[in-house]
Amino acid sequence: MTFAPLALPSLADLPGVYTIRSGESFSHPLALSLLHSGVITEADVRQRPKSELALAQAALSRRWEQITAGMNLFDWNLRIEQAPEHGYPQYLEEHLWALIQTGGGPVTCAVICIGRAMEKLESVRAGLGQTVLATLYDAFRMLPTVCTPRYVLGVAEYLYWYGESDEDEAIKQALDMGGYDTVEELLASEDFFTRDKFFSEMPEWAAQPRRTLTRRQIQLAAGRDPFVREIVDAMDAVWNIVRFYGPFADVRSEDVGADLIDFGLLVRWSEDDMVGRVLDDFLHHAQEGDYVIASSVTPLKIVGADMADWLKRMESTGMLAKAVERVLSLLADFQEPRTLVRVLV
Amino acid sequence: MTTVTIAQENDVELALDSALLFYRSQGTNHIYATQHSARVVDGKPTLLAGVPITLDQLADIADLAARKTSYRGFIHDRVVYLAPNLLAWWVPACTRRVWFNTKDKIGERAGDATHPPLVFIVNRTTWSVFALRENARPGPATKLYTAPYYNVWEGGEICVGNVKTPDAINTESIKPYEDAFFRSRFTHSNNDRLIHRRGGAERLWLDLLDGADFPLDRLIDAKQTLAQAIGSSTNED
């Protein structure tokens, strides 16, 4: 007779979970694609994932962590979903959508104001702030949507001014339809959004900056001020990444066929600018039509190495984003040194 | 902290829950069953201590299984017996087009012919057909007769060959089974004794294709009733 405690019978070779796949399920081809393209590693499989979905989730989460590690301004979360059935012709059933979105939904991203820092740059050398901003905007075009004064001006043109650069055409139409005799009467009786209102708290170049200075002029300015030096060095780092660390993921989300209503970051001139008002109107308008809650949508083929290639490119894009964050952090943190007042006692 | 979400809401995930263990003795009908919870402990599926299963619990399990295995729906008016994986139905005498492709005198021929009343019995592994003398819905005691068709074995089993049969056995598969039987070509006889008459089945079908009435009184006794035929199918099942 033995008094050894009974061991619980192990069913070591039995699966802990069965998954009943529906005909529309993409977890199997996705897991297969990630396995064949090396995104799912041997270690992932050895951990006995409870399903193909869990396996794909674990592998993608690890890669996404690597891409976003160290980010402190951009809010990038990855969502993989089936491309809509009735989308554009190129988005066939065998495609997935890789969406980048904020964790908390539209406009829960971080907000930074750059107006004071830009004014400081302009005070060191006229055109310096504008040149830095123009370069930054170029970098933003390579990232999931960043809401900037330029972006919001485009929204205002689309939303209020029939795609024109100002309100003239919209006023003409309102006069024709609304029974007003004069423009003044119209503006007095309706909350008509004008270009002047948009730029009441910021210069026009905040939305449409140009590179007005040469590299030599910028270097000279950097030599005169430590803050400018920091900005120029940080911009140089951005440039180096763009030049040497590509290719980058195409996150422009063109031809999605719907408004994107999420942003990785909101860059404002100041808290008093008109960005908030325009965005409110835009979100209200978007929700009456087709919209996608994402700052970026990339269609990817389920089979093959599309997903793995995209993740690889996103590593470069992530690196670029972190370099851009460095510039933005400097701009956001800028405070004019306080003037010390000697108090005589 | 960033997250990754895979929006896959269509899959149904079934987690390991419990196990039934059966203990039986060789050569007797005694059986003992225990129900065990099963959990994943330290990443390994593990069987926890069990309890004897009661008749009530067994009934619950049988009910759950029956929901998946038994037919729910309107009853087909020609069905005479229905059980999980077993279906029997009858076909009244009728005139129906048939196709032949034989090496005997019938050769390659198609045409309308009269048919006797028939009973089909289908289970998971076999598909049989018998003839009836009376053109009426058969009961358990109804005597069965050999269906005098080519491609039918002595015991009534139909040689399926390359004919596609339905994937499931339920009342919705009656028409597909009948189509598979009547609309495929009869090619050869699998049974020397299909009908009591000079010239056998070959002469019978030549006459039937020429418009003769079916000679019900010439059918050969299959030496079993409908209940016995279904019983043997049930045993096989």
Side-chain angles (χ1 to χ4, degrees):
Chain A
M1 193 170 205
T2 176
F3 292 99
L6 281 173
L8 289 174
S10 167
L11 308 169
D13 294 327
L14 290 186
V17 169
Y18 277 110
T19 302
I20 303 173
R21 279 203 303 271
S22 81
E24 297 161 14
S25 170
F26 61 79
S27 52
H28 179 68
L30 174 65
L32 214 56
S33 151
L34 296 178
L35 190 66
H36 289 157
S37 55
V39 177
I40 291 174
T41 63
E42 202 178 324
D44 292 325
V45 180
R46 214 178 293 129
Q47 287 172 356
R48 299 177 67 96
K50 62 178 186 174
S51 66
E52 290 163 331
L53 195 65
L55 179 61
Q57 171 99 31
L60 282 174
S61 295
R62 189 184 58 251
R63 288 292 293 271
W64 197 248
E65 274 294 316
Q66 290 165 358
I67 290 167
T68 58
M71 269 184 199
N72 51 39
L73 285 177
F74 291 117
D75 189 357
W76 288 4
N77 298 274
L78 177 62
R79 178 182 171 87
I80 304 293
E81 63 181 40
Q82 184 82 55
E85 256 180 57
H86 305 295
Y88 276 57
Q90 64 266 44
Y91 306 139
L92 303 173
E93 277 180 10
E94 66 269 24
H95 281 79
L96 296 176
W97 267 11
L99 299 98
I100 298 174
Q101 51 188 198
T102 51
V107 206
T108 57
C109 58
V111 182
I112 63 164
C113 296
I114 60 170
R116 292 178 68 174
M118 285 292 146
E119 284 162 6
K120 163 68 181 173
L121 295 177
E122 286 289 309
S123 73
V124 174
R125 168 83 200 229
L128 180 59
Q130 185 173 180
T131 303
V132 167
L133 193 57
T135 314
L136 260 184
Y137 280 174
D138 286 346
F140 288 161
R141 290 168 64 88
M142 300 170 71
L143 303 177
T145 312
V146 180
C147 185
T148 61
R150 169 188 276 182
Y151 179 90
V152 178
L153 177 64
V155 170
E157 290 170 353
Y158 158 70
L159 206 58
Y160 308 120
W161 307 329
Y162 299 103
E164 301 289 329
S165 60
D166 60 27
E167 65 278 11
D168 288 352
E169 181 62 29
I171 285 176
K172 271 186 210 160
Q173 301 232 12
L175 287 173
D176 288 346
M177 292 186 294
Y180 299 104
D181 293 327
T182 64
V183 174
E184 290 70 27
E185 195 182 331
L186 169 69
L187 296 180
S189 59
E190 285 194 19
D191 182 18
F192 210 90
F193 194 78
T194 63
R195 189 177 172 91
D196 282 348
K197 265 189 196 167
F198 186 82
F199 287 112
S200 58
E201 300 295 331
M202 59 183 156
E204 292 229 355
W205 60 260
Q208 295 167 315
R210 291 187 302 115
R211 294 168 191 249
T212 57
L213 299 187
T214 63
R215 181 159 185 80
R216 172 78 184 143
Q217 289 168 322
I218 291 169
Q219 288 299 343
L220 285 173
R224 295 204 296 270
D225 188 283
F227 175 66
V228 177
R229 176 82 268 158
E230 276 193 292
I231 291 289
V232 171
D233 287 348
M235 288 302 297
D236 280 346
V238 171
W239 167 246
N240 280 329
I241 288 171
V242 170
R243 191 169 179 198
F244 298 113
Y245 288 85
F248 299 89
D250 183 353
V251 287
R252 289 173 299 169
S253 315
E254 290 177 339
D255 299 333
V256 169
D259 289 322
L260 268 57
I261 60 166
D262 209 356
F263 308 104
L265 179 68
L266 178 50
V267 178
R268 299 180 70 161
W269 188 261
S270 71
E271 288 176 358
D272 302 323
D273 63 22
M274 284 289 154
V275 163
R277 182 235 159 113
V278 179
L279 274 186
D280 280 348
D281 287 349
F282 172 61
L283 291 178
H284 178 73
H285 166 85
Q287 288 182 4
E288 290 176 346
D290 286 337
Y291 64 88
V292 181
I293 300 176
S295 55
S296 165
V297 177
T298 308
L300 299 168
K301 274 188 188 164
I302 300 176
V303 294
D306 242 22
M307 179 71 75
D309 291 345
W310 183 76
L311 288 169
K312 183 78 191 150
R313 286 165 182 257
M314 277 307 295
E315 284 174 7
S316 301
T317 302
M319 193 184 291
L320 174 64
K322 286 170 225 172
V324 169
E325 275 191 343
R326 167 75 184 142
V327 180
L328 293 171
S329 297
L330 289 169
L331 295 174
D333 292 344
F334 173 76
Q335 298 286 336
E336 282 286 6
R338 286 184 190 159
T339 307
L340 296 178
V341 178
R342 189 181 296 272
V343 178
L344 294 174
V345 291
Chain B
M1 177 69 185
T2 58
T3 62
V4 172
T5 307
I6 302 177
Q8 176 56 272
E9 291 155 2
N10 302 316
D11 290 350
V12 176
E13 205 168 80
L14 306 174
L16 181 63
D17 180 74
S18 55
L20 296 178
L21 296 186
F22 293 97
Y23 301 79
R24 63 201 307 179
S25 67
Q26 292 287 338
T28 75
N29 288 329
H30 293 303
I31 188 163
Y32 178 68
T34 55
Q35 184 175 24
H36 298 250
S37 291
R39 297 287 179 267
V40 177
V41 178
D42 295 334
K44 290 179 185 166
T46 305
L47 209 58
L48 305 185
V51 292
I53 195 164
T54 64
L55 284 177
D56 284 350
Q57 289 168 326
L58 201 57
D60 288 344
I61 294 165
D63 184 46
L64 271 175
R67 285 183 204 177
K68 285 289 180 191
T69 55
S70 61
Y71 176 74
R72 283 161 196 249
F74 292 101
I75 302 299
H76 194 287
D77 59 358
R78 291 193 277 114
V79 168
V80 293
Y81 191 93
L82 179 61
N85 290 326
L86 196 149
L87 176 67
W89 74 97
W90 82 291
V91 183
C94 62
T95 298
R96 199 189 265 270
R97 193 168 181 79
V98 281
W99 286 262
F100 285 89
N101 187 5
T102 68
K103 289 180 177 164
D104 57 19
K105 287 180 184 166
I106 301 175
E108 189 167 342
R109 189 166 170 189
D112 288 342
T114 55
H115 295 256
L118 298 170
V119 170
F120 286 97
I121 303 171
V122 181
N123 67 18
R124 269 195 309 210
T125 53
T126 59
W127 174 26
S128 306
V129 62
F130 297 94
L132 303 170
R133 274 238 169 120
E134 299 285 329
N135 191 23
R137 181 185 177 84
T142 303
K143 288 180 69 174
L144 302 183
Y145 294 83
T146 298
Y149 290 86
Y150 284 21
N151 303 80
V152 175
W153 296 96
E154 194 173 343
E157 195 175 328
I158 297 165
C159 173
V160 177
N162 61 357
V163 174
K164 182 164 171 43
T165 55
D167 296 329
I169 298 175
N170 55 47
T171 57
E172 286 166 9
S173 44
I174 288 175
K175 185 173 184 312
Y177 267 113
E178 290 179 0
D179 285 347
F181 183 73
F182 291 112
R183 299 177 75 86
S184 59
R185 288 178 191 278
F186 293 107
T187 55
H188 59 278
S189 172
N190 288 4
N191 181 1
D192 292 338
R193 297 187 69 250
L194 283 172
I195 191 113
H196 281 304
R197 62 162 290 170
R198 191 176 297 161
E202 181 182 346
R203 190 66 250 165
L204 169 73
W205 284 104
L206 283 168
D207 288 349
L208 293 174
L209 287 165
D210 287 340
D213 287 338
F214 193 93
L216 289 174
D217 59 332
R218 303 281 88 201
L219 287 170
I220 296 174
D221 190 347
K223 302 271 192 293
Q224 57 182 333
T225 63
L226 178 57
Q228 288 166 332
I230 288 173
S232 65
S233 284
T234 307
N235 290 338
E236 285 170 20
D237 185 47

